[in-house]
Amino acid sequence: MRHPANTGLALAGLLLSANALACDTILPPTQVGVHLPGKYCLSANRSLPIEIDGADIELDCRSRTLASAQPGNSETGIRVRGGNQVVVRNCRIEGFAVGIFLEARSGAQLLNNTVLRAQFAPIVARGEYFQGGPIDPQIEPARIVGNRVVGYGQGATANPGAALIVQGLPRVTISNNVVAGFNGPTGLELFESPDAQLTGNQFLDFSRGDRLVRLQNSPRARIVHNTIMARQPTVFEGLSGATDATCVENVFINTLRSGFADCAVARYNVEQQSQM
């Protein structure tokens, strides 16, 4: 008698999964602007950027690539101009000056995207909060999860800034992102974003580094299970501005100064330098 029940549960699970993967609209390769609510998907690679301007929009690239037809130009691969409940997932963006620029509102999410060889800034997420202003408890925090920034490869150039720039996003979740082979001085810049959660991020193989994780006007951050690893002790400071942070079980390899001593709470962190 248990088998029909189990079968029913399995079918229900499959239906829910199918709904989660459903796509309302396949975005044509020549369409740049997306304004109406719905779930949009890509069915092929493309060279044109995408601009999202509206609410309740999800873009699922399904691992397709947006590759700039003119690497080194000033374009942004995917730009989100506000709107509640906007999600960008599974996109691969290559050769644009800026990979993803998100003007975040309530419920904004960047999930499982890959940015390769951005000329200026791989991922930028900005909200409306500024230090000293009120925090609306009704606003759903932004999530930046599972993204990858890769600087290796043909055409890679020195980047002037940070791989991830996050500003004005209270209670933002930044987790399980990987930055590898980036040629800029900073892995993550977190500005004016109180109560942020930084968990499980990896910053690997920086050829240079001033401050790999930089906090400014972002009190009460929780920095847990993050990893910084450089081949040689060339990273000046692993963590800066963490005077009001909780720092637990992070591993920093080859940072000349880890920055853990500045944390309000620091437990079980590991810092190690290779022998020159």
Side-chain angles (χ1 to χ4, degrees):
M1 295 296 295
R2 296 172 57 188
H3 295 294
N6 291 339
T7 301
L9 289 172
L11 289 173
L14 288 173
L15 288 173
L16 289 172
S17 299
N19 289 335
L21 296 174
C23 182
D24 299 331
T25 304
I26 299 295
L27 197 67
T30 57
Q31 180 178 340
V32 172
V34 179
H35 310 287
L36 299 178
K39 182 170 182 178
Y40 298 80
C41 301
L42 297 187
S43 61
N45 298 336
R46 58 185 283 156
S47 59
L48 291 178
I50 296 173
E51 296 184 1
I52 297 173
D53 188 356
D56 298 307
I57 293 173
E58 178 173 341
L59 172 65
D60 186 347
C61 293
R62 295 182 172 178
S63 299
R64 309 297 186 184
T65 298
L66 284 73
S68 174
Q70 298 178 330
N73 63 23
S74 60
E75 288 187 310
T76 297
I78 297 175
R79 178 182 288 273
V80 179
R81 301 180 185 277
N84 295 327
Q85 305 297 329
V86 174
V87 180
V88 177
R89 67 168 80 234
N90 302 325
C91 298
R92 189 174 183 271
I93 303 160
E94 183 172 356
F96 286 89
V98 178
I100 301 174
F101 192 104
L102 169 68
E103 294 179 7
R105 299 275 181 92
S106 180
Q109 299 185 73
L110 300 179
L111 308 176
N112 196 36
N113 302 290
T114 300
V115 179
L116 297 94
R117 294 179 289 281
Q119 303 299 313
F120 180 70
I123 296 177
V124 180
R126 289 180 177 166
E128 298 178 339
Y129 173 84
F130 294 96
Q131 183 65 21
I135 299 176
D136 186 347
Q138 302 300 318
I139 292 179
E140 184 179 342
R143 299 178 68 238
I144 303 170
V145 177
N147 302 285
R148 294 159 296 277
V149 173
V150 181
Y152 301 112
Q154 184 177 2
T157 59
N159 296 81
L164 305 174
I165 300 173
V166 179
Q167 182 176 15
L169 293 176
R171 298 177 289 133
V172 61
T173 294
I174 305 171
S175 67
N176 299 325
N177 302 286
V178 177
V179 179
F182 187 68
N183 293 320
T186 307
L188 168 65
E189 289 187 347
L190 183 70
F191 299 124
E192 298 168 335
S193 300
D195 303 299
Q197 309 284 325
L198 281 63
T199 307
N201 302 289
Q202 300 182 58
F203 304 93
L204 309 175
D205 201 16
F206 273 61
S207 57
R208 62 192 182 102
D210 296 336
R211 295 171 176 83
L212 284 201
V213 179
R214 180 186 176 199
L215 279 62
Q216 182 173 329
N217 295 332
S218 298
R220 301 178 301 278
R222 288 186 54 84
I223 303 170
V224 180
H225 295 165
N226 301 283
T227 300
I228 291 174
M229 181 174 288
R231 295 183 184 182
Q232 299 293 332
T234 54
V235 175
F236 175 70
E237 193 165 16
L239 176 64
S240 70
T243 54
D244 197 15
T246 297
C247 306
V248 179
E249 293 188 341
N250 302 282
V251 177
F252 288 5
I253 307 299
N254 283 335
T255 57
L256 298 178
R257 181 181 182 275
S258 68
F260 294 139
D262 296 337
C263 299
V265 177
R267 296 195 302 267
Y268 312 122
N269 299 294
V270 175
E271 50 184 307
Q272 180 68 44
Q273 289 189 17
S274 64
Q275 300 297 320
M276 296 294 289

